[in-house]
Amino acid sequence: MKVPLNKKILDKNEECALKNSEFFATHDIVCMNVISSPGSGKTTILSRTIRDLTGKTKIAVIEGDI
Ligand SMILES: Nc1nc2c(ncn2[C@@H]2O[C@H](COP(=O)(O)OP(=O)(O)O)[C@@H](O)[C@H]2O)c(=O)[nH]1
Ligand SMILES: [Mg+2]
């Protein structure tokens, strides 16, 4: 008899990600995750991108700190 000892702990996370993906797709939203070390230039590149796209498209940033 096989006794499973592990459980997928990211199930909820994947469910949530799928829901988000569907929402972005149906609303024609391009969503990207930017992750890198502190001081590597994330804020700089976002600020510049937002400046360049102002008036051309709507853009938003959600900041998360792991
Ligand atoms: N030389 C150089 N410095 C950069 C570049 N991008 C960002 N920086 C500088 O690196 C520092 C950290 O950038 P920041 O955007 O705050 O990094 P974040 O912590 O990833 O948000 C700042 O002093 C920026 O001016 C780049 O392409 N070249
Ligand atoms: Mg930053």
Side-chain angles (χ1 to χ4, degrees):
M1 184 174 103
K2 195 173 176 183
V3 181
L5 295 176
N6 56 2
K7 183 177 183 298
K8 236 176 140 199
I9 58 168
L10 290 177
D11 275 359
K12 266 272 175 235
N13 192 59
E14 277 167 26
E15 202 180 289
C16 200
L18 182 67
K19 231 192 243 179
N20 286 339
S21 290
E22 284 168 359
F23 179 86
F24 297 140
T26 52
H27 291 83
D28 203 21
I29 294 169
V30 174
C31 179
M32 48 189 95
N33 184 30
V34 179
I35 186 166
S36 66
S37 313
S40 58
K42 299 177 296 294
T43 298
T44 305
I45 203 165
L46 284 170
S47 303
R48 175 58 194 269
T49 303
I50 290 166
R51 202 174 76 208
D52 288 357
L53 292 178
T54 297
K56 294 180 187 137
T57 188
K58 286 194 222 165
I59 189 162
V61 175
I62 300 171
E63 189 173 328
D65 189 335
I66 56 167

